[in-house]
Amino acid sequence: MTLTRKNFLVSASSFAAAVGLDPAAFAAAGTNPFRKLDLAALRKELRAFYPDESHGVCKDPRQPASVKAIGDALDEWAAAHPGYDALDVRREEYLLVRKHFVPFLFKESPFYFEAGVNGGWCYTSTSVPGRHVNRLCNRFYREQGLIPDAAFDLLWGRAGQRLLVCCGPFSDDMHHVPAFRTILTKGFKGVRDEVAAALEACPAHDPLGKKELETALVGLDTIHCIQLKFHEAAKEKVKGLGEGEERRNLLRIVEASARCPWEPPKTFFEALNALWFIREIPAYVDGLDQFALGRPDAWLIDFYRADLAAGRLTVEEARELVAAFLVTSDCHLDTARVVDSFDDQEAEMPLTLGGCDKDGKPVWNELTEMFLDLHLACDCVFPKLHCRIAKDSPEPYLRKIGEMLMAGHAVFALFNDDRHVAQFVARGFRPELARDYICAGCWDSYVDSWTDVDCANYTSPLRILELTIHRDPEVERKCRLKIDPIDGLTSFEAVRDTLYRNFIRFYRDVLSEYTRYGRANAKVFPHPVYSMCLEGGIRSRRDTMDGGVAFRPRIVTLAFMANVVDSLAAIRQLCFVDKTCTLDEFLAAVRSNWAGMRGEELRQAALRAPYWGDDSSVTNGLMKAWIDRVADETDLYRNDQGGPYVLACWVYREFLYWGEKTKATPDGRRDGDRLAQGFCPSEYRCNVGPTTVLNAIGTLDHSRFFATNANLSFDKAAMSPETFAAVFRVVCRKDMHLLQPNCLSVEELLDAQVHPERHRDIIVKVCGFSARFVSLSKRWQDEVIARHKLK
């Protein structure tokens, strides 16, 4: 039987038991599987509130009006106080939030947390007031000489030339992770008490520390005020309501919001709601992008079991809460809209499931299964499911993921516990902390409440290779590059080493610029509340961007390494081993975009050369040597926080968009062809199965990386849940960081292009995000269809 969403539910006996309903009735078309929760009504209400795209403004006019009122008042205050600094204006913003904040409660939703942050994608001051501080303080870059205009011009010029990506000016100010465990354990009040004690003991010689703590106190009190606004709004809204689900939801909110999460949660509902509150409200007041939703199966299982035992909760009620939790995430944008541009349909809402507990025991419990089953049953694209796996993960857990993939539900990033836990222990974290890491963004891991990682810093060795071959003196001048030619070189080693020197000169310059200017962001865009919730913030009395937290590494990504290795391997094979042509003849063919009969002959020869992923000694050796050399270089530098730079190897949508602008390369690519993703083999080269590819990736020393990804597509006809479970264990044994799997049938995808109404439930992993296949634009659909399917 071909697995689909419906018959998967019918076949999942454990899920049917948890539901407490007849499986056939549950799966029947048009049947609402929930006793009280009306999913269709909830979706309709939430979609009427949230914007349709990632960076839109909430549709309820009260939300942008409240943000505008805060922004206007901040502008007036700034005009009246010309000597302000960033902490001054942040304090004023906190106070204005208390006055203008609008608490949003929904008729169909049981939760209270919504401020209109739009899922953490708060790039502009129209989304959240916290970003208005950045806008007002940007002038400090020039006035205080924090970063010269020439440095900005160089940074953005390099980004525009596809040499790098930095998600912020010299510092990634996007990819933060909420301090979940801190608040679940202490509540915001516990943090406030510790800040007040630190302020009392603050030495007189640290006026900046005193001001940071004072500002944080105002912000924490603002969070309490926001919580109480939800409390009062629910009390008012419940008046006059007759018996029904809306009244029950509001009464529960009235009770819980009187104390939580100012105080730690005491029930499953409070803890589940707190995950949303902790993610959204600090993001609102501090202007953060917070990209995680925590580990509900690991952290909430004791609440769940205690509530069941005490009779405060039933399994059915828990299911409805979890379903509403998941659907809320899925409604933050319209997943039916066409995906074509760089960051449309991106809701950075990863949910961490599975893995192990603080003692190293596998986490595979009632909540793990409930979240997985309901994600499929509710037909969710978001939240992203970041599932932690290990060599010894329970077989039913791995098979469950395989079943969902077979059902066309490719929403997973699979994090290898054996690698991630080990790397945090190696960095000095106690094992119990390392084992509690959470997953964030697209492929990052963080030790919860202890780390704030500066992670989105891409560099492109392939762009340096492109400029080495297709010379562009104007780009070299504007981007401060020194590119030595490879024309006329008489050995492969000379070609390889010249390319490496060209890249490493650029790479050193990038790191030195980041170190020189990265810390300036703390004087423009401080996050006092968030910083004090992280380990080290209170003790240091400093912002997270000012050396305040326990561990803030800076991650630097090497993009498109497979294309670099394949290009080197082709030059080696054609010019120095087989001597099919001279190096200059080969370079001429590449520069001509493989024009003419001779050009096509050389292109076909290049495509037959060894390639990354074939597990040959040639390409394994080239990749390992390059990585080791760059990693050794990276280890020599300290970042602007005094922490390490660490390598990564991943790529977001740039593999298509940058590929469209990249000229022909020696690996056989033509002008505009897509590039390789992460550690995946090039789609133009791979003709082997998963064992060979995984063996190749496994030859690398993954301890040199903070994170890597492999986006691999598997042929649906050749797979089964058991086969997937076996593949997942191999990934862990090979010490890989991350697998993002697709399970594809070309026939189904081609039919979906013709009959999209029949295939709305097919979800594919595009890169760091998933989307409905029928929502992808034609060029993205064609790209997914063309991917090599591993058998």
Side-chain angles (χ1 to χ4, degrees):
M1 177 177 66
T2 301
L3 284 172
T4 66
R5 176 172 163 262
K6 286 184 178 179
N7 64 35
F8 171 72
L9 294 176
V10 173
S11 67
S13 58
S14 58
F15 180 68
V19 171
L21 294 176
D22 175 67
F26 177 76
T31 297
N32 178 20
F34 302 103
R35 299 166 190 256
K36 298 175 182 177
L37 176 65
D38 188 336
L39 275 184
L42 175 61
R43 283 186 177 275
K44 182 178 180 180
E45 186 178 24
L46 293 176
R47 289 299 313 122
F49 176 81
Y50 291 118
D52 291 335
E53 56 186 352
S54 299
H55 306 304
V57 178
C58 288
K59 297 171 184 173
D60 188 322
R62 295 175 297 165
Q63 200 279 334
S66 70
V67 174
K68 184 178 185 303
I70 295 169
D72 290 347
L74 274 177
D75 288 341
E76 291 181 12
W77 179 91
H81 299 80
Y84 68 83
D85 64 19
L87 287 174
D88 291 330
V89 71
R90 177 66 78 198
R91 180 181 185 277
E92 187 64 21
E93 178 245 327
Y94 288 155
L95 294 173
L96 288 167
V97 165
R98 300 182 194 180
K99 180 179 179 181
H100 295 286
F101 177 80
V102 177
F104 293 98
L105 297 170
F106 302 104
K107 178 180 178 181
E108 304 293 339
S109 172
F111 300 119
Y112 61 96
F113 68 86
E114 188 53 67
V117 179
N118 190 17
W121 281 77
C122 43
Y123 285 120
T124 68
S125 55
T126 61
S127 301
V128 290
R131 281 274 165 178
H132 206 86
V133 173
N134 192 320
R135 190 181 68 78
L136 286 171
C137 297
N138 268 338
R139 63 184 179 87
F140 294 158
Y141 286 123
R142 177 172 294 174
E143 290 181 4
Q144 299 181 15
L146 301 179
I147 301 176
D149 289 347
F152 277 117
D153 292 343
L154 180 63
L155 178 71
W156 304 134
R158 286 172 168 175
Q161 284 297 325
R162 296 175 282 113
L163 286 157
L164 58 77
V165 169
C166 177
C167 291
F170 299 97
S171 181
D172 178 10
D173 67 0
M174 286 173 52
H175 297 82
H176 302 281
V177 175
F180 287 111
R181 293 291 272 172
T182 294
I183 308 305
L184 291 176
T185 303
K186 303 176 183 178
F188 285 105
K189 180 180 184 298
V191 176
R192 190 205 186 281
D193 291 344
E194 292 181 5
V195 171
L199 180 59
E200 186 73 21
C202 183
H205 60 75
D206 185 15
L208 175 59
K210 179 181 179 182
K211 193 167 188 176
E212 184 84 24
L213 294 170
E214 289 174 338
T215 309
L217 281 181
V218 177
L220 289 162
D221 286 340
T222 294
I223 287 180
H224 191 203
C225 178
I226 289 173
Q227 176 189 308
L228 295 179
K229 280 181 177 283
F230 281 110
H231 176 72
E232 294 301 323
K235 281 173 58 178
E236 185 64 28
K237 198 171 184 180
V238 80
K239 292 178 181 178
L241 283 180
E243 288 301 321
E245 193 59 19
E246 182 180 8
R247 178 178 175 81
R248 284 189 288 271
N249 284 339
L250 288 170
L251 288 175
R252 181 164 47 190
I253 290 172
V254 168
E255 179 183 4
S257 61
R259 52 170 303 279
C260 182
W262 186 243
E263 298 175 15
K266 293 182 178 179
T267 67
F268 178 70
F269 165 73
E270 290 181 351
L272 194 62
N273 185 85
L275 296 182
W276 271 118
F277 195 102
I278 296 165
R279 183 188 192 273
E280 299 296 297
I281 299 304
Y284 181 85
V285 298
D286 269 357
L288 291 166
D289 300 303
Q290 296 206 126
F291 288 175
L293 273 170
R295 296 187 69 194
D297 58 343
W299 298 340
L300 274 55
I301 188 63
D302 290 341
F303 292 107
Y304 172 75
R305 290 170 177 168
D307 281 2
L308 289 181
R312 291 188 295 265
L313 184 74
T314 67
V315 172
E316 292 77 15
E317 290 168 340
R319 285 185 52 257
E320 298 198 350
L321 288 172
V322 169
F325 184 96
L326 295 171
V327 168
T328 298
S329 175
D330 198 49
C331 287
H332 271 73
L333 50 78
D334 182 2
T335 60
R337 287 175 65 91
V338 174
V339 178
D340 188 62
S341 67
F342 183 76
D343 56 4
D344 49 12
Q345 252 198 66
E346 174 59 275
E348 285 286 10
M349 296 184 175
L351 191 70
T352 305
L353 297 173
C356 62
D357 63 17
K358 62 183 179 62
D359 298 317
K361 298 177 182 177
V363 173
W364 167 239
N365 57 41
E366 308 95 299
L367 290 181
T368 316
E369 194 164 12
M370 188 182 295
F371 272 90
L372 289 173
D373 285 331
L374 286 171
H375 199 283
L376 178 61
C378 296
D379 193 27
C380 292
V381 177
F382 295 102
K384 302 179 181 184
L385 292 186
H386 284 6
C387 290
R388 291 173 42 178
I389 62 175
K391 294 189 293 288
D392 61 351
S393 287
E395 184 71 10
Y397 171 53
L398 300 184
R399 289 189 184 184
K400 172 75 72 175
I401 296 171
E403 285 181 322
M404 293 174 70
L405 289 167
M406 296 290 292
H409 205 68
V411 295
F412 296 100
L414 304 179
F415 287 69
N416 176 13
D417 269 12
D418 299 309
R419 167 92 311 269
H420 286 271
V421 173
Q423 76 181 21
F424 285 120
V425 171
R427 294 285 177 183
F429 286 95
R430 301 192 307 273
E432 61 270 24
L433 290 173
R435 294 178 187 131
D436 200 31
Y437 78 88
I438 62 172
C439 311
C442 298
W443 29 61
D444 310 53
S445 61
Y446 291 59
V447 176
D448 178 70
S449 299
W450 282 73
T451 56
D452 184 30
V453 179
D454 188 327
C455 71
N457 307 285
Y458 292 59
T459 62
S460 178
L462 183 71
R463 178 59 170 145
I464 296 295
L465 181 150
E466 181 190 9
L467 288 169
T468 302
I469 296 171
H470 304 275
R471 300 299 296 271
D472 191 329
E474 184 64 13
V475 169
E476 293 176 33
R477 183 187 66 80
K478 288 184 175 180
C479 295
R480 205 164 72 191
L481 302 174
K482 185 177 187 305
I483 302 291
D484 295 327
I486 59 174
D487 301 70
L489 296 180
T490 57
S491 72
F492 169 70
E493 290 75 18
V495 172
R496 179 197 63 199
D497 292 345
T498 299
L499 177 61
Y500 177 79
R501 285 197 305 272
N502 287 343
F503 172 72
I504 210 67
R505 280 194 293 257
F506 161 71
Y507 184 78
R508 289 167 179 162
D509 199 28
V510 169
L511 265 57
S512 67
E513 294 281 290
Y514 285 164
T515 298
R516 182 178 298 121
Y517 300 122
R519 205 158 180 164
N521 215 19
K523 297 182 179 180
V524 175
F525 194 22
H527 313 305
V529 167
Y530 177 64
S531 299
M532 295 307 111
C533 291
L534 294 173
E535 181 66 28
I538 295 174
R539 182 174 59 254
S540 67
R541 305 181 293 277
R542 291 296 184 273
D543 193 83
T544 179
M545 291 187 172
D546 195 24
V549 302
F551 183 60
R552 195 166 194 269
R554 186 166 192 136
I555 314 307
V556 186
T557 294
L558 299 179
F560 320 121
M561 280 303 303
N563 299 108
V564 173
V565 168
D566 292 357
S567 294
L568 288 171
I571 291 172
R572 174 185 177 276
Q573 192 70 33
L574 273 66
C575 303
F576 299 103
V577 176
D578 296 341
K579 299 185 178 179
T580 303
C581 59
T582 67
L583 176 60
D584 288 351
E585 289 173 334
F586 187 58
L587 294 177
V590 176
R591 288 165 179 152
S592 73
N593 194 26
W594 312 102
M597 183 177 298
R598 180 57 170 164
E600 182 59 24
E601 288 176 357
L602 292 178
R603 178 175 178 271
Q604 292 302 321
L607 292 174
R608 291 191 297 271
Y611 63 87
W612 170 246
D614 66 1
D615 199 29
S616 67
S617 59
V618 170
T619 55
N620 289 352
L622 284 172
M623 181 68 83
K624 185 178 188 308
W626 184 284
I627 294 298
D628 286 347
R629 290 179 74 178
V630 178
D632 287 344
E633 182 77 26
T634 305
D635 288 345
L636 300 175
Y637 294 84
R638 309 305 289 176
N639 65 37
D640 53 286
Q641 306 291 309
Y645 283 99
V646 190
L647 279 185
C649 189
W650 62 54
V651 67
Y652 196 58
R653 305 187 204 194
E654 293 86 359
F655 77 93
L656 180 64
Y657 298 122
W658 287 14
E660 291 173 340
K661 298 179 180 179
T662 301
K663 294 182 179 180
T665 43
D667 55 348
R669 280 186 60 263
R670 293 189 176 96
D671 288 358
D673 284 350
R674 59 193 162 153
L675 303 172
Q677 298 188 56
F679 271 137
C680 303
S682 167
E683 298 289 357
Y684 302 106
R685 310 298 303 280
C686 189
N687 56 18
V688 296
T691 301
T692 304
V693 172
L694 295 178
N695 282 342
I697 298 174
T699 62
L700 302 176
D701 181 358
H702 291 273
S703 69
R704 308 305 300 267
F705 299 98
F706 182 80
T708 65
N709 78 326
N711 298 348
L712 300 179
S713 296
F714 296 84
D715 188 327
K716 186 173 181 178
M719 299 304 292
S720 69
E722 294 77 15
T723 306
F724 268 121
V727 168
F728 301 156
R729 295 191 195 280
V730 171
V731 166
C732 296
R733 286 197 293 270
K734 295 299 179 181
D735 206 33
M736 294 168 56
H737 279 88
L738 181 83
L739 172 67
Q740 295 191 131
N742 268 313
C743 184
L744 304 176
S745 164
V746 171
E747 293 75 19
E748 287 182 2
L749 298 184
L750 290 174
D751 190 63
Q753 288 186 312
V754 179
H755 303 288
E757 72 282 357
R758 300 177 184 174
H759 300 282
R760 184 181 177 276
D761 59 343
I762 296 178
I763 300 173
V764 296
K765 177 67 76 170
V766 181
C767 50
F769 73 106
S770 296
R772 299 188 190 283
F773 179 78
V774 298
S775 295
L776 298 177
S777 67
K778 180 65 163 54
R779 66 169 171 171
W780 273 112
Q781 288 183 346
D782 290 344
E783 192 281 324
V784 171
I785 290 172
R787 293 181 184 183
H788 175 65
K789 317 301 185 298
L790 298 169
K791 298 182 179 179

